[in-house]
Amino acid sequence: MSSTLVLRFADVGVATYASLRVVGAPDRTVTWVVHEPIVLAALDELQAALPDPAGSETLGEALERALTRGPFATALGELTLAYMLGVLLIAEPAWQLFSECLADPRPVLFVSPSARLARIPWGLLALPRSGPSPEELLAARTAAVTFKGTRAASIPWQLADIESVTDSCRLMEMVDVVMAVPPNIVHAPRTPTRWHERCDAPALLVIDPRVPGQRPDSPLGSVLGRPSSESPLCQHFERVAAHRPVLPHVGSAVELFRRSDADRGWLAALLGLAPSRMLFVGHASAADRAHGYADRAALHLACSAAADGAAEPVGDHRPLLASDLMTAQLPLPPRVALLACGSGGDYQFDEATGLVAAMVLCGSELVTATLWSLPTTAGYRRFTARAEDPMAQIVVAVDDAHEAPDAVLAVNRWQREQMRRWRGGDTSTSPLYWAALVTFAVDGAR
């Protein structure tokens, strides 16, 4: 029987308070404080790695930076970022507690981040051997607080030989990482469905729906590219359909892709057939973190502007908001995968009622989502000039994981495999994909 740990962060004023505890052993709890300049330094380092525009960047410029020049473009850059985050966000006594809990099977770590730390890829963090001294960190954060405001601390890193400060052991190698569902959702009225009751039912596959009025190469265009019966991804879904019934009913797997009828009415009708799980691959829009609410996060189905919903139309299309899903109380299956831009961003808001929350409130007990935008197949190939298709690889991996008896373990295992290949020099396994995955679980679901 594996042990369970809980890592929790809370933003209180200008500081973020953290705790790590072992469930059933309160005497082993570790607490620490991450001061605002340190939090800002960590976020600056992460932002440089992500394909999200910063400042005046366009979407294309941000994607080019992330794929070719950012920390996730090389194994050395990624390890350096993982080390920095490991030093800045996890206190030395907490790393020691993780080490003391090493076991087979791995412990399970439930992470409950604060709004500021909502997009940190916790499994990526590297165990540090050494780092800046407490005195150096204190001086750095003190210098970052001025009369004009607080800025990111300028940390005196010693990175000339990264292997001398970390052996590159990652948190995901020490524990299986799970995101805790936000407390306001856990305690809300809901009627969950159970995997063991539904596992033999058909799988609902919503694959790259065609958004009305959008060209294939537009921001809401195709995620996976032109469908082909010869593609590895299409052949994967042929095997899935041969193994179990799938929804919608199709003659061949290629008919699952780029459907123009996959709107909210179509989705509601298929959910009414009580599928075992749902895989959505497509576009999502995060809510505006500065002025919005989490329930303004949206999925982009094949809905026309005439569809009912609270979202403003985008040309000929009306997005499906998280609030629409919660209002309609659609019966979601026990397992849901949302491979869409920033679909796992609920924790960025004080009232965490985003897409993940909508799935849980409508019945799901396990939701796999992404922390940031995944480069489309076309975008990846454009800026890397490589023939691989990591977007297709992550779709296959998550689809397989959600068929496994223990989906949390299966997702974590795939991430570890990808990370080790990347660490070993396989540049086709970009951390922009595998590090983005997070799985939220409630009621002990695995």
Side-chain angles (χ1 to χ4, degrees), residues 14-245:
V14 296
T16 298
Y17 291 82
S19 68
L20 176 66
R21 65 182 177 91
V22 180
V23 174
D27 57 308
R28 303 182 72 187
T29 299
V30 174
T31 62
W32 66 100
V33 179
V34 188
H35 294 274
E36 185 177 26
I38 302 300
V39 170
L40 295 177
L43 296 181
D44 279 358
E45 298 294 347
L46 178 62
Q47 176 59 46
L50 302 185
D52 299 330
S56 61
E57 277 186 321
T58 65
L59 285 170
E61 290 168 344
L63 183 57
E64 186 272 337
R65 167 184 49 75
L67 286 168
T68 64
R69 295 179 282 109
F72 283 161
T74 65
L76 178 60
E78 182 270 330
L79 175 59
T80 301
L81 173 61
Y83 163 74
M84 290 176 171
L85 296 179
V87 169
L88 297 175
L89 300 178
I90 306 293
E92 185 176 348
W95 279 116
Q96 180 60 37
L97 182 54
F98 280 127
S99 298
E100 292 171 1
C101 292
L102 289 177
D104 186 12
R106 285 180 178 83
V108 178
L109 173 68
F110 282 88
V111 182
S112 181
S114 68
R116 285 174 169 173
L117 302 179
R119 294 207 300 172
I120 299 294
W122 298 101
L124 185 86
L125 272 57
L127 171 65
R129 288 178 180 169
S130 61
S133 69
E135 293 77 16
E136 289 174 321
L137 289 175
L138 174 60
R141 78 169 196 256
T142 300
V145 180
T146 71
F147 289 112
K148 294 182 178 180
T150 301
R151 61 176 184 268
S154 180
I155 311 296
W157 298 109
Q158 300 294 324
L159 302 174
D161 181 8
I162 189 66
E163 294 182 358
S164 68
V165 293
T166 178
D167 61 6
S168 81
C169 175
R170 308 307 179 87
L171 188 57
M172 69 171 73
E173 296 181 288
M174 306 172 80
V175 296
D176 283 324
V177 181
V178 190
M179 298 293 284
V181 172
N184 63 310
I185 304 306
V186 172
H187 301 300
R190 56 193 174 86
T191 304
T193 54
R194 305 298 182 188
W195 173 250
H196 67 86
E197 298 170 351
R198 290 271 197 99
C199 60
D200 294 326
L204 172 54
L205 306 174
V206 188
I207 312 297
D208 204 5
R210 192 183 300 274
V211 178
Q214 299 291 319
R215 293 171 50 86
D217 58 351
S218 69
L220 292 178
S222 178
V223 170
L224 300 170
R226 186 184 298 276
S228 166
S229 60
E230 303 302 316
S231 71
L233 190 55
C234 190
Q235 292 173 6
H236 163 78
F237 287 114
E238 289 283 8
R239 292 190 293 271
V240 171
H243 169 68
R244 64 142 77 235

